[in-house]
Amino acid sequence: MTEHTEVLIIGGGISGSTAAHFLRRPWLLLEREPVLGGLSTQYRSNGFWFDYGGHYFHFQNSMSIQAHLTANTPFKRHVRRSKVQIFNRLIPFPLQSHLEALPAPWRHRIERELASPQTDPKISLGANLRATFGPTLYRIFFYPFLSKYYGTDPETLASGMEKGSIPPARSDSTSPKPNRKLQGYNPEFFYPVGGLHKFWEKYAAQLMPGVRLNEPAISVDLARRRVETRIGTYTYSRLINTTPLPQFLSLLNGYPAGCDQAGRLIHASTRVTNMVLAVRRRRFHWVYLPQNSHPYYRMGYYPGAGTCKIYLEQSLPPNGRLNEKESDAAELLQQLGVIRDQEEILHISRRNIPVSYVLFDHAWFHTVPEIRQRLEENGVFSIGRYGGWTYSSMAEDALSARNTALAINREMA
Ligand SMILES: Cc1cc2nc3c(=O)[nH]c(=O)nc-3n(C[C@H](O)[C@H](O)[C@H](O)COP(=O)(O)OP(=O)(O)OC[C@H]3O[C@@H](n4cnc5c(N)ncnc54)[C@H](O)[C@@H]3O)c2cc1C
């Protein structure tokens, strides 16, 4: 069966679904899974709802989309309480703004080494952070933390990939009475009351007539503007792709000129370990974990009253297999004061995220814009964090999806 639509969307996460909300031309959306939401919805395990790691809306750079996303679901605003675990202490994040909380000899040494932010785009992310924050803070925090977070050596990544998410050291960071204004890209965040699935119940409802669930795209013919699934063929005038860019390129029957560098696109994979605990013992939202003694880079509490649910995140090696010991997690949670003993862990559920963080090496800056440009010349808008192969938040993805839909509306009017 062949169906024609003016706009075909592949993927119904926040990017594909927001684009659908704003399109004013006939559209259809293909989603591989039985529900919409992608990584920004929740899954159920043993009767409990869990996120794919903490997923909080940051509207700082995308306030104009806030009204749209929060129109039908109540959201609660949270003022960030996040920590860094270092020297057996829990120091407020970002560490570079709370040097007063470090042991004095370390603080003095780091203070002497702090420099102005580096702006040389040719150096690596590691070299940039070393030059900006000094070798000591780099060695005790940035290097071990980012190596775990990205699952790779930050010396091999490009400076600029962090896109402003690493705040500079505050000028008063060593004074005993620092300015308490929260820093960074996420000083506050918003989360739907009742969990992300509540948001998706409403956000997905109006879209359902145009949505084909359980129907992954399996091949894309750019020349004939045709997408195949296992049960049908769809022809289109414009295609919006939100699946990971390398995966999308692998569906094409031959790369268009300029897209043959797809093999150079690199990413990290993440395992999220979700747990239900008997009791909440700590009040912070999440903790950054630079230590090498265990594999986890971040632990956090899911927002909301009621059942106490937490997550631990770790990178997956390229083969996807981990030699993990469950005791690592329990030991860590005890160290953090999150549990008293293993008996307080009532349920554990794990999910792997095969493509979690897009990694930028120096090739990214010419490869990715070139590929996206070539696709656009063929009627394909590849958008979102994974389709656009970039570093972005859910709110930024929603904003760029809206802008893409508005541009298509204008173009096809
Ligand atoms: C561990 C982790 C924590 C994060 N925390 C935050 C946070 O706190 N705040 C924040 O703003 N952002 C966070 N993010 C980023 C956020 O997840 C993304 O920005 C956002 O989910 C991207 O949405 P998307 O719709 O572009 O992609 P996705 O959510 O990946 O949606 C893509 C959709 O395409 C579908 N699909 C895949 N292949 C096919 C196919 N062949 N055919 C049809 N459909 C297909 C998938 O099933 C999926 O539904 C986090 C990411 C990770 C990995």
Side-chain angles (χ1 to χ4, degrees), residues 10-28:
I10 306 184
I14 194 84
S15 301
S17 301
T18 303
H21 269 281
F22 283 95
L23 280 169
R24 296 295 169 261
R25 309 299 307 173
W27 58 266
L28 288 174

mmCIF file of all heavy atoms in Angstrom, residues 10-28:
data_model
loop_
_atom_site.group_PDB
_atom_site.id
_atom_site.type_symbol
_atom_site.label_atom_id
_atom_site.label_comp_id
_atom_site.label_asym_id
_atom_site.label_seq_id
_atom_site.Cartn_x
_atom_site.Cartn_y
_atom_site.Cartn_z
ATOM 1 N N ILE A 10 9.901 11.191 10.615
ATOM 2 C CA ILE A 10 10.394 9.911 11.141
ATOM 3 C C ILE A 10 10.829 10.145 12.583
ATOM 4 O O ILE A 10 11.773 10.900 12.849
ATOM 5 C CB ILE A 10 11.569 9.345 10.320
ATOM 6 C CG1 ILE A 10 11.196 9.245 8.842
ATOM 7 C CG2 ILE A 10 11.981 7.982 10.864
ATOM 8 C CD1 ILE A 10 12.275 8.605 7.970
ATOM 9 N N GLY A 11 10.115 9.507 13.513
ATOM 10 C CA GLY A 11 10.452 9.612 14.931
ATOM 11 C C GLY A 11 9.503 10.531 15.667
ATOM 12 O O GLY A 11 9.294 11.677 15.270
ATOM 13 N N GLY A 12 8.910 10.020 16.752
ATOM 14 C CA GLY A 12 7.916 10.788 17.508
ATOM 15 C C GLY A 12 8.365 11.124 18.912
ATOM 16 O O GLY A 12 7.589 11.050 19.861
ATOM 17 N N GLY A 13 9.645 11.517 19.062
ATOM 18 C CA GLY A 13 10.102 12.088 20.339
ATOM 19 C C GLY A 13 9.654 13.544 20.406
ATOM 20 O O GLY A 13 8.728 13.955 19.686
ATOM 21 N N ILE A 14 10.311 14.329 21.259
ATOM 22 C CA ILE A 14 9.881 15.721 21.420
ATOM 23 C C ILE A 14 10.060 16.490 20.101
ATOM 24 O O ILE A 14 9.251 17.364 19.778
ATOM 25 C CB ILE A 14 10.649 16.406 22.599
ATOM 26 C CG1 ILE A 14 10.006 17.717 23.002
ATOM 27 C CG2 ILE A 14 12.109 16.648 22.289
ATOM 28 C CD1 ILE A 14 8.875 17.580 23.932
ATOM 29 N N SER A 15 11.085 16.142 19.312
ATOM 30 C CA SER A 15 11.334 16.897 18.067
ATOM 31 C C SER A 15 10.248 16.594 17.042
ATOM 32 O O SER A 15 9.597 17.513 16.524
ATOM 33 C CB SER A 15 12.699 16.532 17.470
ATOM 34 O OG SER A 15 13.723 16.810 18.375
ATOM 35 N N GLY A 16 10.029 15.313 16.744
ATOM 36 C CA GLY A 16 9.049 14.952 15.718
ATOM 37 C C GLY A 16 7.643 15.372 16.127
ATOM 38 O O GLY A 16 6.860 15.871 15.308
ATOM 39 N N SER A 17 7.318 15.194 17.416
ATOM 40 C CA SER A 17 5.953 15.513 17.862
ATOM 41 C C SER A 17 5.716 17.016 17.851
ATOM 42 O O SER A 17 4.622 17.471 17.486
ATOM 43 C CB SER A 17 5.711 14.952 19.267
ATOM 44 O OG SER A 17 5.908 13.559 19.242
ATOM 45 N N THR A 18 6.726 17.802 18.240
ATOM 46 C CA THR A 18 6.531 19.260 18.223
ATOM 47 C C THR A 18 6.397 19.748 16.785
ATOM 48 O O THR A 18 5.548 20.605 16.488
ATOM 49 C CB THR A 18 7.698 19.972 18.953
ATOM 50 O OG1 THR A 18 7.771 19.454 20.268
ATOM 51 C CG2 THR A 18 7.484 21.477 19.005
ATOM 52 N N ALA A 19 7.202 19.184 15.897
ATOM 53 C CA ALA A 19 7.062 19.579 14.487
ATOM 54 C C ALA A 19 5.626 19.305 14.032
ATOM 55 O O ALA A 19 4.984 20.162 13.416
ATOM 56 C CB ALA A 19 8.063 18.819 13.630
ATOM 57 N N ALA A 20 5.092 18.125 14.384
ATOM 58 C CA ALA A 20 3.729 17.771 13.967
ATOM 59 C C ALA A 20 2.718 18.780 14.513
ATOM 60 O O ALA A 20 1.784 19.184 13.814
ATOM 61 C CB ALA A 20 3.396 16.359 14.446
ATOM 62 N N HIS A 21 2.899 19.215 15.765
ATOM 63 C CA HIS A 21 1.977 20.188 16.367
ATOM 64 C C HIS A 21 1.921 21.487 15.567
ATOM 65 O O HIS A 21 0.888 22.146 15.529
ATOM 66 C CB HIS A 21 2.412 20.510 17.796
ATOM 67 C CG HIS A 21 1.767 19.622 18.819
ATOM 68 N ND1 HIS A 21 0.489 19.811 19.263
ATOM 69 C CD2 HIS A 21 2.232 18.525 19.466
ATOM 70 C CE1 HIS A 21 0.180 18.876 20.149
ATOM 71 N NE2 HIS A 21 1.227 18.076 20.288
ATOM 72 N N PHE A 22 3.047 21.884 14.958
ATOM 73 C CA PHE A 22 3.093 23.195 14.299
ATOM 74 C C PHE A 22 2.895 23.132 12.788
ATOM 75 O O PHE A 22 2.744 24.171 12.153
ATOM 76 C CB PHE A 22 4.416 23.912 14.628
ATOM 77 C CG PHE A 22 4.417 24.492 16.019
ATOM 78 C CD1 PHE A 22 4.959 23.790 17.082
ATOM 79 C CD2 PHE A 22 3.845 25.737 16.262
ATOM 80 C CE1 PHE A 22 4.940 24.318 18.376
ATOM 81 C CE2 PHE A 22 3.825 26.277 17.542
ATOM 82 C CZ PHE A 22 4.370 25.562 18.602
ATOM 83 N N LEU A 23 2.895 21.918 12.219
ATOM 84 C CA LEU A 23 2.722 21.838 10.763
ATOM 85 C C LEU A 23 1.293 22.208 10.381
ATOM 86 O O LEU A 23 0.342 21.773 11.046
ATOM 87 C CB LEU A 23 3.050 20.428 10.257
ATOM 88 C CG LEU A 23 4.537 20.117 10.089
ATOM 89 C CD1 LEU A 23 4.761 18.624 9.858
ATOM 90 C CD2 LEU A 23 5.165 20.935 8.953
ATOM 91 N N ARG A 24 1.141 22.952 9.309
ATOM 92 C CA ARG A 24 -0.186 23.310 8.815
ATOM 93 C C ARG A 24 -0.433 22.680 7.442
ATOM 94 O O ARG A 24 -1.342 23.059 6.741
ATOM 95 C CB ARG A 24 -0.331 24.844 8.745
ATOM 96 C CG ARG A 24 -0.254 25.522 10.105
ATOM 97 C CD ARG A 24 -1.435 25.130 11.007
ATOM 98 N NE ARG A 24 -1.232 25.578 12.389
ATOM 99 C CZ ARG A 24 -0.790 24.814 13.382
ATOM 100 N NH1 ARG A 24 -0.509 23.532 13.184
ATOM 101 N NH2 ARG A 24 -0.621 25.300 14.599
ATOM 102 N N ARG A 25 0.427 21.767 7.056
ATOM 103 C CA ARG A 25 0.261 20.999 5.817
ATOM 104 C C ARG A 25 -0.043 19.553 6.217
ATOM 105 O O ARG A 25 0.295 19.139 7.335
ATOM 106 C CB ARG A 25 1.549 21.009 4.967
ATOM 107 C CG ARG A 25 2.138 22.386 4.717
ATOM 108 C CD ARG A 25 1.226 23.315 3.975
ATOM 109 N NE ARG A 25 0.713 22.747 2.733
ATOM 110 C CZ ARG A 25 -0.216 23.325 1.978
ATOM 111 N NH1 ARG A 25 -0.770 24.474 2.356
ATOM 112 N NH2 ARG A 25 -0.618 22.752 0.865
ATOM 113 N N PRO A 26 -0.638 18.735 5.353
ATOM 114 C CA PRO A 26 -0.895 17.338 5.720
ATOM 115 C C PRO A 26 0.404 16.610 6.059
ATOM 116 O O PRO A 26 1.402 16.751 5.355
ATOM 117 C CB PRO A 26 -1.513 16.753 4.438
ATOM 118 C CG PRO A 26 -2.030 17.938 3.678
ATOM 119 C CD PRO A 26 -1.113 19.078 3.996
ATOM 120 N N TRP A 27 0.393 15.887 7.178
ATOM 121 C CA TRP A 27 1.612 15.182 7.609
ATOM 122 C C TRP A 27 1.254 13.795 8.136
ATOM 123 O O TRP A 27 0.106 13.536 8.537
ATOM 124 C CB TRP A 27 2.355 15.973 8.695
ATOM 125 C CG TRP A 27 1.506 16.254 9.917
ATOM 126 C CD1 TRP A 27 0.765 17.378 10.146
ATOM 127 C CD2 TRP A 27 1.278 15.383 11.041
ATOM 128 N NE1 TRP A 27 0.086 17.269 11.342
ATOM 129 C CE2 TRP A 27 0.386 16.055 11.918
ATOM 130 C CE3 TRP A 27 1.721 14.115 11.398
ATOM 131 C CZ2 TRP A 27 -0.058 15.498 13.120
ATOM 132 C CZ3 TRP A 27 1.289 13.554 12.604
ATOM 133 C CH2 TRP A 27 0.400 14.253 13.443
ATOM 134 N N LEU A 28 2.253 12.921 8.167
ATOM 135 C CA LEU A 28 2.156 11.619 8.837
ATOM 136 C C LEU A 28 3.433 11.425 9.633
ATOM 137 O O LEU A 28 4.492 11.938 9.242
ATOM 138 C CB LEU A 28 2.026 10.486 7.817
ATOM 139 C CG LEU A 28 0.699 10.353 7.074
ATOM 140 C CD1 LEU A 28 0.820 9.258 6.004
ATOM 141 C CD2 LEU A 28 -0.440 10.013 8.039
#
